[in-house]
Amino acid sequence: MEVPELHFYFLKSSGASIDTRTILPGQIFFALQGEHFDGHQFVDDALKKGSSRVVVQKDKIYPKNKKIVQVDNVLECLQQLAKYHRVYCDTMLIAITGSNGKTTTKELIHSILGTKYQVLATSGNLNNHIGVPLTLLQLTSEIEIGVIEMGASAIGEIEFLCRLAKPNFGYITNFGRAHLEGFKSISGVIKGKQELYEYLTKNNQSVLFNLDDPIQSEYACKVKNYLSFGSVNKTSNWTFNYLANPRTFKISIQNNGFTYRTNLYGSYNFSNVGAGIAVGLTFDISPKMIQIGLEKYHSRNNRSQQVNLNGIELILDAYNANPDSMHQALNFFLKIDQKNSGVILGDMLELGKYQDLEHKVIIEVCRKSDLKFIFLVGEIFYNQKVVDPRIKTFRSLDDLKDALKQIMKLHDIRHILIKGSRKLALERVLEGFPTNDLD
């Protein structure tokens, strides 16, 4: 079946699904295959649950059924259908990528634009070669703006996602030491992320730069027309004055006499908020309505999330971690009263040959602080040689449980930072605490 014909059936369906556990009646099921799963095992489930069509590989044998569509490659079919649908809808699309902060920036932009427009944004972290197509297939005639998050771990992936999504506007949050195993080096990260800017400039679309970032500032010199913001006036469209108060964990931004206040923690969120404000102003949203959009957004899903536990303020930043985001989180956290604070840090993954060096640097930052306790979790941290009575290393969270109980007996502890890579799921640290004590 050709893509235009499948799109005809898609328009009559209730959407697309790759998971029979959550599939809805009338959706088209795509039987994707991966290293540890095969959607073809659930074709019968999809049909029983009312799937309008089921897309499978041609080399699979099924009884004759008009609902079963056989294609050469299910994933490519999903991607091409999404590309076709995106052109069909012709919606204004904003693409967001970067090493750190892209999900927070996406959510801020979504909240701000949502005060005036019907907006679709990437759900959760569906930002790869599967998630982006699924997001594009959620576009409808009612959606005025789409905000698409794009993730990558190797050169060429952002370019591929751009060819699918065809964005009209784009922003890169930063270029950090993330996914070095795939990108090989920081220069590889820069090259891979800049594929978004290259696509936009080549296709005469709009670009937003943060001129405080020297890499973006340098790239801006190569582009004739662009929008920009920054904390210093480098002929930028918007000049922001960033304000931070570590004691209250709040940040604010001033622009043209108007002060924008947020619920976000950490000075490393300044550029994320600045980008959100800049996008709002670009799309003719008033400062007052931008402020409303900022106030609506509360950090959740383990991203700089504040949790109160028996009077102790926990900063739960356990969604992910790389050297840059770890340094940013630590540097801001250490501006608090260090002697009444502690950290629980997990391994930073996908660093390749840099992993030992980067973990040793983090340990040294902690060692030079006045933190009350320093708990390090994961095989990489565990294998580092550490000589400091405050520093304890643990292979896993299970090994950490008894030590956590001791923390709660330290009455002078006021603040705890929890941060690590997603695989460690450090939010599980909270499971050992009484739930009725959590806000």
Side-chain angles (χ1 to χ4, degrees), residues 132-191:
V132 169
L134 289 173
T135 301
L136 294 175
L137 289 173
Q138 294 179 47
L139 293 171
T140 66
S141 58
E142 288 76 28
I143 301 297
E144 296 172 280
I145 301 176
V147 185
I148 308 296
E149 180 181 332
M150 295 181 176
S153 58
I155 291 172
E157 293 180 359
I158 295 297
E159 178 188 11
F160 175 76
L161 295 178
C162 284
R163 284 190 274 113
L164 290 183
K166 300 182 183 299
N168 310 102
F169 189 98
Y171 172 67
I172 299 175
T173 59
N174 48 49
F175 306 87
R177 291 167 292 171
H179 301 292
L180 291 177
E181 192 171 17
F183 283 115
K184 306 302 181 186
S185 65
I186 186 63
S187 61
V189 173
I190 295 170
K191 182 178 179 180

Side-chain angles (χ1 to χ4, degrees), residues 15 32 54 58 74 172 176 182 191 214 219 237 262 268 274 283 297 302 320 368 374 381 389 395 414:
L32 297 181
V54 174
K58 276 185 177 178
V74 175
I172 299 175
K191 182 178 179 180
Y219 194 94
N237 297 84
T262 79
Y268 46 86
F283 285 85
Y297 178 70
N302 309 315
N320 217 338
K368 289 181 177 179
I374 302 157
F381 271 131
R395 272 202 164 97
R414 296 289 176 265

